[in-house]
Amino acid sequence: MAAQLLNGLTEGMMLFLIASGLTLIFGITRIVNFAHGSLYMLGAFLAYHLMPMLGGSTVASFASAVLLSAILVGLLGLVFEVLILRRIYGADDLLQLIITLALVLILRDVVKAIWGANDISVPMPASLSGALQIGGTFLPLFQIVAFAVGLVVITLMVSIMRFTRAGVLLRAATDDRGMVALLGINQAWIFSSVFAVGCFLAGLAGALAAPFGNVNYLLDTNIIVMAFVVVVIGGLGSLSGALIAALSVGMVKGLGVIYFPRLSTVLIFLIMAAVLVIRSLGRGAISK
Amino acid sequence: MSFEHVQSRWLFAAVSLGLAVAMLMLGPGIALLATEVAIMALFASSLGFLINYGGMVSFGHAAYFGLGAYGFALAAAKLGLPLWLAVVLGPLTAALGAVLFGALCVRLTHIYFAMLTLACSEIVFTVLFQAYDYTGGDNGLTNFMAPRFGLSPQIYAALTVAIVALCIAFLARIVRSPLGLAIQAVGEEPHRAAALGFSPRLVQLVACVIAGTLAGIAGTMYSVFQGNAFPDYAGVGITIDALVMVVIGGVKGFYGGVFGAIIYVLLKTFVSRAFTHWELVIGLILIAVVLIFPTGIAGLLQKLGLSRTARPSGEQHP
Amino acid sequence: MKLKRGGLLLATLLAVGVTTGPVQAQDPIRIGYAADMSGACGSLVDGATKAFRLGVEELNAAGGLLGRKIEVIERDTKTKPDEGAKEVRDLIVNSKVELITGVCSSAVLLAETAVSAELKVPFYSAIGNSQTATIEKGQPYFWQTNPNVLMESIAVAEYVAANKAWKKIAPLAYDYEWGHTSVKAFSEHLKKLRPDIEILPMVPVKLGETNMTSYITAVLAQKPDLVYGAIFGGGLVNLVKQGKAFGFFQQTSLVTLTTVDFLQTMGGELPEAGLHGFARAPFTSLLDNPKVKSFVQSYKARHGKDPDDWAVLAYDGLMFYAEVVKAAKSTKADDVVKALPTVKYEGLRGSMTVRGLDGQMSAPSFVGAVIKDAAYPFSIMKGATRVDASKTLTPEDFIKSARAAAK
Amino acid sequence: MSREPILVARNVTKQYGGFVALGGVDLTLQPGERRALIGPNGAGKSTFIAVLGGQQAVGPGSTVHFAGRDISGALPQEIARLGIARTFQINRVFRRLSVLDNVRTALLPSNGRVFSVSERHLTALTSPAMTMVTGLGLGRVAHDAAETLSLGDRKRLEFGMVLATRPKVLLLDEPTAGMGLNERRSLMELMVEHAARDQITLLFVEHDIDIVFRFADRITVMSRGKIFAEGTPAEIGANSAVQDIYLGTEGAPS
Amino acid sequence: MMKIRQLHAAYGRIEALHGVDLDVGEGEVVCLVGRNGVGKTSTMRAIVQELIQVTKGTVEFDGASVVGVPSHDIIKRGIGYVPEDRRAFASLTVAENLRVVRKGAGNGQWTVDGVYALFPHLAEGRKRLAGVLSGGEQQMLSIARSLLTNPRLLLLDEPNEGLAPKIIDEIIAAILKLKQERVSMLVSEQSLRTIRACGDRVVVIDRGASVFHGTAAEFLGNPEIARQYLMVSGH
């Protein structure tokens, strides 16, 4: 059981990496970005494509491929925001939803056209392929690295939000987008940069996780569902909530495999439903 | 859709009847397509009703479509009930599901409402997928009946069009009834409605049950049409299709779902037959539609003065 | 953007509702290829489609069938049963196809076979399989040219039983009908062969799961000698890659579905030892057949890579149909069905027939250790055992009683 | 006044996080009186109205009695059905419905027709609703969507909707905010006239001192979540402490 | 400094302004007077291009047109805007609210310390969340925040609305102080307090158009105008 919990914790941090960008984008722009999983998938494919060009499966080339993929995905997000999303802010929420759904369709097909429909395996850098043994438990080095990256991401994001002017601006824009402009700040760029950073995080998570598993064009749907579950459980827009939710979901999943194996598929949805229902028990639910 | 004037009621009846009769004269291929369009039109309209009148955006509407299909198919295939009874049980199952899920979901609003409906429909999907001893799992339920009760595509198309027209007339009637006003009132200003003595959650629950039952009717008709039932019918893909239909049809009334279904079903069918990379094409078309006609097809018709079903749109800041 | 062959928007629009006259001898033979090109099965269908197109070209180059050219109309079922049924219905009603094939997903297969039965148009599956479609819901116009899950599981049980070092077996399977059926058939047959073997409780895996680590730790905690993995595709890639990090292959062994596409995906990343696989048509085990050699050559020349199992199966399925048509001297449904059990087919996988009762081809399965081979950039099932259908085919009386029970 | 009070609030408290919005408010309303609730911004006036209307839950130890019944903790709709109606500071009408339909909707709960699907039941409400609409001076725009109305007309409409519930107590949260001075007075006159006709007790929050002194029987002054003073307009006008916290140096009307 | 001629503006299709003329000179305090709903707020919004579209007419600032210029650029050119509803960032502290504005914006002399000196109240509560401030404190915060953009022209929309007279005195004191610092201001008002206290000139708006231009003395000396357009009853 300790093994499952420990493993769940590291798995949870990978979930957090996936969810962080989604919750960031929602928190500031109120956009429910259904394309988040697709951007994750794109990050993974880009890492696959870039690693050989950057020197093969060494840690250095992997690290630079991850960073470069994340940046490219972030740039794509920026372009998408500037060219398309920006035109429909303030329109019906459903329109934004449809636009991001369209992006899902487009990215899926583009990935298929470039890299084919077959599964792809990104080679694991040799020095990351081992495992730490704690007691009788194996902890793959790779998950530990992902855990560390997750910690760095959350620390950076929290510090930026709390202590930098950029963070203050972001929170101000969350409160009242229009007023930010009336203080001489080009709010369009706040949204663009938040969207780009959110996409960067999606690309980062995808590229980082690429060597750890399979990469194919179906990754988008599998990832987006998990990302939403985590973000919803943590409270939409809340970074710390997403962290707690991701770690808890990881651990509950680990325990679920042992204690209620047949629920494995439905478990996360049961948790999400339960969290939402419990949250609604207060009287003020309609005042949200 | 306003039915305040008697003649518009007659007009609707005449158009529906005309459409149903027209079905009988089509080739079998186009009749099959028309049937699919009609069923999806009902499904999208029920979602449009929930969104535009009830103020509730659901990401899990497929749950009721799936329950309608499985309620019917299980009754016919596993319980061996006569088809006429199974056909009634389908929508009834969906209605029961809507009571249960609705009671949970109406406690929440906005995106949280949407997410809980998504969770509910995923739970339905998973149960259908995993309880294969009863539901056939991913293999679904097949071969338990002749598709369309063995009717010819044309006759079934006529039947479907007639039933869908009746359901839409029912929706239109609801909208113009006391209940419809209550649903719109709660959908728009729940606090104001509560302070007038409405129980917002109860009214919303009733709206969910109406929409769920109509979605269940669509699901049952689809199951009869296909002669099968698969867990996919409760999958998020069907919900997304319906959301797209509601949006491209025009988001300010349930009738937008009808336009949306016609366009989207035909678009998806023909684009996926014509292009290898059909998802890319559909994606680009969707973006173009949203950017060019943000008010959907209904909004476009309104702008061109072709539709008098005007409901002023747009947010107004006090 | 490439327009799909034979599927122009305009042509389709024109074809809708237009009825054509009776089929003339010089008219092409229209085949409806309704495949799961997008959605969950898309990654498997790719090689199959390439091989199918290759086979059609070869047949047409040789003058077609019965002097008629073959014309293929491709449709995407999106791996959705209702879409599959819809496309097949449209292909039959509007495009007047005389044969349906291409399916991969068993759910889509079941939806399509019902349409084939209703409209009495021949339908075969070369890469998808479903024992439900041949046994409980068997219908005269359907046949299946690859082994079903029962046959495969029995073949693996035979292989596992022969290794006396394996005493504790842990099943790890996708949590849906296919996974459970596979584990059940495997366990039952293995118990018959080796009553001493202990079969541990199955660990069910969520379909579409990207992180398998919880399952890996759970199954390793049971300390099995061998894990029977009813897992395929992307999930299997995850299992092996993440398993390696946990020292999975040092602690136990795995036997699972290792088709060539999976081996190609993994490249040099598979463990040196501890992985055993079963497959349906690994070309590496068939190269003593000259037909296979030439097929692999022309496939590789065209697509730059070796054909996977699905490609071999798709090509074999098409060529079998060609033989049946030749024997029947007709493409009419009833003639084809009548000729079906009479054809002794010499294909890529050797000599096979289709049984009249259930339309199941006597297709072999292949089981063996997966090892590296200098001749290929990926590990292969070198020296895999060919388990003949005679050992695995479901007995006829079992089918009859199952059908009686279903009624 | 020896009559039974219609509304009695005792020790009403309300906290948001650490911020004390209401720190134990007591208030008693006699049937038929017109009470103004005044005080500087942030005094807790709107919160108090929200507690009485059920929009906000009360803190522990607080009780609200209406016509002898304990309504603390009741839901807004329960309170509304008992006979306490309210308007909102930010005008809330059903923007997409016509003026007539807004009033017909408001008539539904008291007629027990909320869940009816019969058009006849709706038609039956047309004539009383139309009478109400005309009485509010909105006859011209009866069939227009409420969102096309001017602010003043929307305020009239909301008042009409509230009247349609046949309330015994009416809570008005800044009824005249955002309106022109002459419009303010005519709206207030309309409200007071209807209230008098239907014997409705009024509790209104208002900033416009002129309106307060002209229309209130009694005035309650709140400050920092507490009742600061209470009395007739004359008493409050003469209360120098009140002038200090609220009226400043030149606020009292001549 | 600012010159508005025949300004027409609309919310969507609903026209709110039809013909406003308005000038603000260097260091001047101009009071925009009129009943509620006559177009004072709309005029302010039209200047900074917030929520409303200019359909006709000109708005020139420092000799250059600002029509069609994005809001944030207008602010950068030196116009500060304090909206009627204050719009403090509720979930930010007072200090953070001030930090939103880019340091040294507009190259002017206002600093955070400077605005704290102007409103000592704010300095005391710099760590409090703006959402829990009183209306008066929020008003001060909103003015302070806008000052940090170092405007040469400050638009104050109903700075006294809804505030207790005591607070109003403080706000007016601040406006006077700003006037000494030679900040030009356009202040909308319903009462006569600001005009009396510090107005140089008065422009009366009625039904979306400017109907009176004059000095404060001219306006105050002619009660007929006030009666006609402000309807200050009885007095």
Side-chain angles (χ1 to χ4, degrees), chain D residues 21-22 37-51 173-174 205-207 220-223 225 246, chain E residues 162:
Chain D
L22 296 178
L37 195 55
I38 65 171
N41 260 23
K45 307 181 297 288
S46 287
T47 307
F48 185 60
I49 295 286
V51 164
D173 194 357
E174 301 201 20
V205 173
E206 185 52 61
H207 277 300
T220 299
V221 186
M222 280 183 77
S223 171
Y246 188 85

PDB file of all heavy atoms in Angstrom, chain D residues 21-22 37-51 173-174 205-207 220-223 225 246, chain E residues 162:
ATOM      1  N   ALA D  21     -20.003  41.889   8.590  1.00  0.00           N
ATOM      2  CA  ALA D  21     -20.910  42.746   7.828  1.00  0.00           C
ATOM      3  C   ALA D  21     -22.067  43.201   8.712  1.00  0.00           C
ATOM      4  O   ALA D  21     -22.506  44.338   8.627  1.00  0.00           O
ATOM      5  CB  ALA D  21     -21.426  42.012   6.602  1.00  0.00           C
ATOM      6  N   LEU D  22     -22.567  42.276   9.525  1.00  0.00           N
ATOM      7  CA  LEU D  22     -23.643  42.618  10.458  1.00  0.00           C
ATOM      8  C   LEU D  22     -23.228  42.138  11.842  1.00  0.00           C
ATOM      9  O   LEU D  22     -22.900  40.973  12.028  1.00  0.00           O
ATOM     10  CB  LEU D  22     -24.956  41.943  10.040  1.00  0.00           C
ATOM     11  CG  LEU D  22     -25.563  42.362   8.701  1.00  0.00           C
ATOM     12  CD1 LEU D  22     -26.824  41.546   8.434  1.00  0.00           C
ATOM     13  CD2 LEU D  22     -25.893  43.847   8.697  1.00  0.00           C
ATOM     14  N   LEU D  37     -34.068  52.732   5.684  1.00  0.00           N
ATOM     15  CA  LEU D  37     -32.832  52.249   6.275  1.00  0.00           C
ATOM     16  C   LEU D  37     -31.724  53.058   5.637  1.00  0.00           C
ATOM     17  O   LEU D  37     -31.523  53.006   4.423  1.00  0.00           O
ATOM     18  CB  LEU D  37     -32.692  50.755   5.939  1.00  0.00           C
ATOM     19  CG  LEU D  37     -31.684  49.915   6.703  1.00  0.00           C
ATOM     20  CD1 LEU D  37     -31.923  50.031   8.205  1.00  0.00           C
ATOM     21  CD2 LEU D  37     -31.794  48.464   6.259  1.00  0.00           C
ATOM     22  N   ILE D  38     -31.040  53.862   6.452  1.00  0.00           N
ATOM     23  CA  ILE D  38     -29.994  54.703   5.871  1.00  0.00           C
ATOM     24  C   ILE D  38     -28.682  54.454   6.590  1.00  0.00           C
ATOM     25  O   ILE D  38     -28.632  53.762   7.603  1.00  0.00           O
ATOM     26  CB  ILE D  38     -30.360  56.207   5.937  1.00  0.00           C
ATOM     27  CG1 ILE D  38     -30.429  56.668   7.387  1.00  0.00           C
ATOM     28  CG2 ILE D  38     -31.683  56.474   5.235  1.00  0.00           C
ATOM     29  CD1 ILE D  38     -30.576  58.174   7.524  1.00  0.00           C
ATOM     30  N   GLY D  39     -27.645  55.006   6.025  1.00  0.00           N
ATOM     31  CA  GLY D  39     -26.336  54.837   6.624  1.00  0.00           C
ATOM     32  C   GLY D  39     -25.280  54.938   5.555  1.00  0.00           C
ATOM     33  O   GLY D  39     -25.572  54.774   4.378  1.00  0.00           O
ATOM     34  N   PRO D  40     -24.038  55.214   5.984  1.00  0.00           N
ATOM     35  CA  PRO D  40     -22.973  55.345   4.981  1.00  0.00           C
ATOM     36  C   PRO D  40     -22.733  54.033   4.244  1.00  0.00           C
ATOM     37  O   PRO D  40     -23.169  52.973   4.675  1.00  0.00           O
ATOM     38  CB  PRO D  40     -21.749  55.743   5.809  1.00  0.00           C
ATOM     39  CG  PRO D  40     -22.078  55.408   7.212  1.00  0.00           C
ATOM     40  CD  PRO D  40     -23.559  55.432   7.347  1.00  0.00           C
ATOM     41  N   ASN D  41     -22.034  54.137   3.124  1.00  0.00           N
ATOM     42  CA  ASN D  41     -21.695  52.939   2.358  1.00  0.00           C
ATOM     43  C   ASN D  41     -20.963  51.946   3.236  1.00  0.00           C
ATOM     44  O   ASN D  41     -20.132  52.311   4.040  1.00  0.00           O
ATOM     45  CB  ASN D  41     -20.797  53.325   1.177  1.00  0.00           C
ATOM     46  CG  ASN D  41     -21.609  53.405  -0.086  1.00  0.00           C
ATOM     47  OD1 ASN D  41     -22.820  53.590  -0.025  1.00  0.00           O
ATOM     48  ND2 ASN D  41     -20.956  53.242  -1.204  1.00  0.00           N
ATOM     49  N   GLY D  42     -21.269  50.655   3.046  1.00  0.00           N
ATOM     50  CA  GLY D  42     -20.581  49.629   3.806  1.00  0.00           C
ATOM     51  C   GLY D  42     -21.123  49.453   5.208  1.00  0.00           C
ATOM     52  O   GLY D  42     -20.547  48.747   6.021  1.00  0.00           O
ATOM     53  N   ALA D  43     -22.267  50.076   5.501  1.00  0.00           N
ATOM     54  CA  ALA D  43     -22.830  49.962   6.843  1.00  0.00           C
ATOM     55  C   ALA D  43     -23.508  48.616   7.055  1.00  0.00           C
ATOM     56  O   ALA D  43     -23.758  48.211   8.184  1.00  0.00           O
ATOM     57  CB  ALA D  43     -23.828  51.093   7.088  1.00  0.00           C
ATOM     58  N   GLY D  44     -23.825  47.920   5.951  1.00  0.00           N
ATOM     59  CA  GLY D  44     -24.468  46.605   6.067  1.00  0.00           C
ATOM     60  C   GLY D  44     -25.942  46.633   5.689  1.00  0.00           C
ATOM     61  O   GLY D  44     -26.655  45.652   5.937  1.00  0.00           O
ATOM     62  N   LYS D  45     -26.389  47.706   5.063  1.00  0.00           N
ATOM     63  CA  LYS D  45     -27.815  47.833   4.743  1.00  0.00           C
ATOM     64  C   LYS D  45     -28.257  46.758   3.747  1.00  0.00           C
ATOM     65  O   LYS D  45     -29.241  46.054   3.961  1.00  0.00           O
ATOM     66  CB  LYS D  45     -28.118  49.229   4.165  1.00  0.00           C
ATOM     67  CG  LYS D  45     -27.639  50.377   5.033  1.00  0.00           C
ATOM     68  CD  LYS D  45     -27.966  51.731   4.438  1.00  0.00           C
ATOM     69  CE  LYS D  45     -27.296  52.001   3.109  1.00  0.00           C
ATOM     70  NZ  LYS D  45     -25.842  52.240   3.164  1.00  0.00           N
ATOM     71  N   SER D  46     -27.496  46.638   2.643  1.00  0.00           N
ATOM     72  CA  SER D  46     -27.869  45.664   1.622  1.00  0.00           C
ATOM     73  C   SER D  46     -27.755  44.236   2.143  1.00  0.00           C
ATOM     74  O   SER D  46     -28.569  43.378   1.817  1.00  0.00           O
ATOM     75  CB  SER D  46     -26.984  45.828   0.387  1.00  0.00           C
ATOM     76  OG  SER D  46     -27.350  46.990  -0.312  1.00  0.00           O
ATOM     77  N   THR D  47     -26.751  44.001   2.952  1.00  0.00           N
ATOM     78  CA  THR D  47     -26.604  42.668   3.529  1.00  0.00           C
ATOM     79  C   THR D  47     -27.803  42.334   4.402  1.00  0.00           C
ATOM     80  O   THR D  47     -28.321  41.210   4.373  1.00  0.00           O
ATOM     81  CB  THR D  47     -25.312  42.605   4.368  1.00  0.00           C
ATOM     82  OG1 THR D  47     -24.223  43.050   3.569  1.00  0.00           O
ATOM     83  CG2 THR D  47     -25.045  41.208   4.856  1.00  0.00           C
ATOM     84  N   PHE D  48     -28.245  43.320   5.163  1.00  0.00           N
ATOM     85  CA  PHE D  48     -29.396  43.091   6.044  1.00  0.00           C
ATOM     86  C   PHE D  48     -30.638  42.756   5.220  1.00  0.00           C
ATOM     87  O   PHE D  48     -31.385  41.833   5.539  1.00  0.00           O
ATOM     88  CB  PHE D  48     -29.623  44.328   6.922  1.00  0.00           C
ATOM     89  CG  PHE D  48     -30.711  44.138   7.933  1.00  0.00           C
ATOM     90  CD1 PHE D  48     -30.619  43.144   8.895  1.00  0.00           C
ATOM     91  CD2 PHE D  48     -31.846  44.953   7.911  1.00  0.00           C
ATOM     92  CE1 PHE D  48     -31.635  42.962   9.822  1.00  0.00           C
ATOM     93  CE2 PHE D  48     -32.861  44.777   8.839  1.00  0.00           C
ATOM     94  CZ  PHE D  48     -32.753  43.783   9.794  1.00  0.00           C
ATOM     95  N   ILE D  49     -30.843  43.496   4.132  1.00  0.00           N
ATOM     96  CA  ILE D  49     -31.974  43.210   3.250  1.00  0.00           C
ATOM     97  C   ILE D  49     -31.855  41.790   2.688  1.00  0.00           C
ATOM     98  O   ILE D  49     -32.834  41.037   2.630  1.00  0.00           O
ATOM     99  CB  ILE D  49     -32.014  44.234   2.086  1.00  0.00           C
ATOM    100  CG1 ILE D  49     -32.290  45.639   2.607  1.00  0.00           C
ATOM    101  CG2 ILE D  49     -33.027  43.827   1.029  1.00  0.00           C
ATOM    102  CD1 ILE D  49     -33.707  45.881   3.026  1.00  0.00           C
ATOM    103  N   ALA D  50     -30.627  41.413   2.313  1.00  0.00           N
ATOM    104  CA  ALA D  50     -30.418  40.078   1.740  1.00  0.00           C
ATOM    105  C   ALA D  50     -30.705  38.985   2.764  1.00  0.00           C
ATOM    106  O   ALA D  50     -31.218  37.923   2.429  1.00  0.00           O
ATOM    107  CB  ALA D  50     -28.987  39.957   1.212  1.00  0.00           C
ATOM    108  N   VAL D  51     -30.387  39.272   4.032  1.00  0.00           N
ATOM    109  CA  VAL D  51     -30.696  38.288   5.073  1.00  0.00           C
ATOM    110  C   VAL D  51     -32.207  38.152   5.234  1.00  0.00           C
ATOM    111  O   VAL D  51     -32.749  37.046   5.296  1.00  0.00           O
ATOM    112  CB  VAL D  51     -30.034  38.711   6.408  1.00  0.00           C
ATOM    113  CG1 VAL D  51     -30.655  37.952   7.571  1.00  0.00           C
ATOM    114  CG2 VAL D  51     -28.533  38.477   6.351  1.00  0.00           C
ATOM    115  N   ASP D 173     -34.248  47.748  -2.169  1.00  0.00           N
ATOM    116  CA  ASP D 173     -32.835  48.069  -1.985  1.00  0.00           C
ATOM    117  C   ASP D 173     -32.455  49.184  -2.962  1.00  0.00           C
ATOM    118  O   ASP D 173     -32.331  48.946  -4.158  1.00  0.00           O
ATOM    119  CB  ASP D 173     -31.989  46.810  -2.216  1.00  0.00           C
ATOM    120  CG  ASP D 173     -30.565  46.995  -1.718  1.00  0.00           C
ATOM    121  OD1 ASP D 173     -30.235  48.104  -1.257  1.00  0.00           O
ATOM    122  OD2 ASP D 173     -29.786  46.038  -1.789  1.00  0.00           O
ATOM    123  N   GLU D 174     -32.279  50.380  -2.466  1.00  0.00           N
ATOM    124  CA  GLU D 174     -31.959  51.572  -3.276  1.00  0.00           C
ATOM    125  C   GLU D 174     -32.872  51.692  -4.490  1.00  0.00           C
ATOM    126  O   GLU D 174     -32.415  51.610  -5.632  1.00  0.00           O
ATOM    127  CB  GLU D 174     -30.493  51.537  -3.709  1.00  0.00           C
ATOM    128  CG  GLU D 174     -29.565  51.484  -2.507  1.00  0.00           C
ATOM    129  CD  GLU D 174     -28.160  51.948  -2.857  1.00  0.00           C
ATOM    130  OE1 GLU D 174     -28.013  52.641  -3.869  1.00  0.00           O
ATOM    131  OE2 GLU D 174     -27.242  51.626  -2.089  1.00  0.00           O
ATOM    132  N   VAL D 205     -33.992  50.888   1.548  1.00  0.00           N
ATOM    133  CA  VAL D 205     -32.650  51.446   1.711  1.00  0.00           C
ATOM    134  C   VAL D 205     -32.539  52.590   0.727  1.00  0.00           C
ATOM    135  O   VAL D 205     -32.913  52.439  -0.439  1.00  0.00           O
ATOM    136  CB  VAL D 205     -31.579  50.384   1.385  1.00  0.00           C
ATOM    137  CG1 VAL D 205     -30.192  51.020   1.401  1.00  0.00           C
ATOM    138  CG2 VAL D 205     -31.662  49.222   2.354  1.00  0.00           C
ATOM    139  N   GLU D 206     -32.061  53.755   1.171  1.00  0.00           N
ATOM    140  CA  GLU D 206     -32.028  54.880   0.242  1.00  0.00           C
ATOM    141  C   GLU D 206     -30.895  55.841   0.620  1.00  0.00           C
ATOM    142  O   GLU D 206     -30.606  56.056   1.783  1.00  0.00           O
ATOM    143  CB  GLU D 206     -33.389  55.595   0.262  1.00  0.00           C
ATOM    144  CG  GLU D 206     -33.564  56.699  -0.730  1.00  0.00           C
ATOM    145  CD  GLU D 206     -33.232  56.302  -2.157  1.00  0.00           C
ATOM    146  OE1 GLU D 206     -33.888  55.390  -2.673  1.00  0.00           O
ATOM    147  OE2 GLU D 206     -32.313  56.897  -2.746  1.00  0.00           O
ATOM    148  N   HIS D 207     -30.274  56.386  -0.416  1.00  0.00           N
ATOM    149  CA  HIS D 207     -29.231  57.377  -0.183  1.00  0.00           C
ATOM    150  C   HIS D 207     -29.760  58.801  -0.274  1.00  0.00           C
ATOM    151  O   HIS D 207     -29.213  59.709   0.323  1.00  0.00           O
ATOM    152  CB  HIS D 207     -28.114  57.218  -1.219  1.00  0.00           C
ATOM    153  CG  HIS D 207     -27.142  56.168  -0.839  1.00  0.00           C
ATOM    154  ND1 HIS D 207     -26.408  56.210   0.323  1.00  0.00           N
ATOM    155  CD2 HIS D 207     -26.794  55.006  -1.443  1.00  0.00           C
ATOM    156  CE1 HIS D 207     -25.645  55.146   0.411  1.00  0.00           C
ATOM    157  NE2 HIS D 207     -25.868  54.394  -0.652  1.00  0.00           N
ATOM    158  N   THR D 220     -34.295  54.166  10.281  1.00  0.00           N
ATOM    159  CA  THR D 220     -33.286  53.435  11.045  1.00  0.00           C
ATOM    160  C   THR D 220     -31.937  53.768  10.440  1.00  0.00           C
ATOM    161  O   THR D 220     -31.758  53.695   9.220  1.00  0.00           O
ATOM    162  CB  THR D 220     -33.548  51.920  10.974  1.00  0.00           C
ATOM    163  OG1 THR D 220     -34.828  51.660  11.534  1.00  0.00           O
ATOM    164  CG2 THR D 220     -32.482  51.146  11.731  1.00  0.00           C
ATOM    165  N   VAL D 221     -30.996  54.140  11.275  1.00  0.00           N
ATOM    166  CA  VAL D 221     -29.665  54.485  10.785  1.00  0.00           C
ATOM    167  C   VAL D 221     -28.703  53.362  11.158  1.00  0.00           C
ATOM    168  O   VAL D 221     -28.649  52.943  12.306  1.00  0.00           O
ATOM    169  CB  VAL D 221     -29.166  55.812  11.410  1.00  0.00           C
ATOM    170  CG1 VAL D 221     -27.842  56.223  10.764  1.00  0.00           C
ATOM    171  CG2 VAL D 221     -30.206  56.905  11.251  1.00  0.00           C
ATOM    172  N   MET D 222     -28.002  52.876  10.131  1.00  0.00           N
ATOM    173  CA  MET D 222     -27.015  51.831  10.395  1.00  0.00           C
ATOM    174  C   MET D 222     -25.610  52.382  10.182  1.00  0.00           C
ATOM    175  O   MET D 222     -25.397  53.269   9.367  1.00  0.00           O
ATOM    176  CB  MET D 222     -27.210  50.639   9.440  1.00  0.00           C
ATOM    177  CG  MET D 222     -28.324  49.709   9.845  1.00  0.00           C
ATOM    178  SD  MET D 222     -28.434  48.297   8.726  1.00  0.00           S
ATOM    179  CE  MET D 222     -27.075  47.301   9.298  1.00  0.00           C
ATOM    180  N   SER D 223     -24.687  51.818  10.946  1.00  0.00           N
ATOM    181  CA  SER D 223     -23.290  52.175  10.743  1.00  0.00           C
ATOM    182  C   SER D 223     -22.435  50.988  11.156  1.00  0.00           C
ATOM    183  O   SER D 223     -22.670  50.379  12.204  1.00  0.00           O
ATOM    184  CB  SER D 223     -22.947  53.398  11.582  1.00  0.00           C
ATOM    185  OG  SER D 223     -21.563  53.613  11.533  1.00  0.00           O
ATOM    186  N   GLY D 225     -22.308  47.848  10.458  1.00  0.00           N
ATOM    187  CA  GLY D 225     -22.941  46.577  10.790  1.00  0.00           C
ATOM    188  C   GLY D 225     -23.846  46.611  12.000  1.00  0.00           C
ATOM    189  O   GLY D 225     -24.245  45.558  12.492  1.00  0.00           O
ATOM    190  N   TYR D 246     -23.266  60.574   9.377  1.00  0.00           N
ATOM    191  CA  TYR D 246     -23.844  60.389   8.066  1.00  0.00           C
ATOM    192  C   TYR D 246     -24.077  61.678   7.303  1.00  0.00           C
ATOM    193  O   TYR D 246     -23.657  61.850   6.177  1.00  0.00           O
ATOM    194  CB  TYR D 246     -25.160  59.620   8.181  1.00  0.00           C
ATOM    195  CG  TYR D 246     -25.715  59.234   6.830  1.00  0.00           C
ATOM    196  CD1 TYR D 246     -25.281  58.070   6.211  1.00  0.00           C
ATOM    197  CD2 TYR D 246     -26.626  60.041   6.172  1.00  0.00           C
ATOM    198  CE1 TYR D 246     -25.743  57.717   4.970  1.00  0.00           C
ATOM    199  CE2 TYR D 246     -27.102  59.701   4.930  1.00  0.00           C
ATOM    200  CZ  TYR D 246     -26.660  58.535   4.328  1.00  0.00           C
ATOM    201  OH  TYR D 246     -27.120  58.194   3.114  1.00  0.00           O
TER     202      TYR D 246
ATOM    203  N   GLY E 162     -22.887  58.225  -3.778  1.00  0.00           N
ATOM    204  CA  GLY E 162     -23.074  57.174  -2.788  1.00  0.00           C
ATOM    205  C   GLY E 162     -22.197  57.318  -1.555  1.00  0.00           C
ATOM    206  O   GLY E 162     -22.163  56.429  -0.727  1.00  0.00           O
TER     207      GLY E 162
END
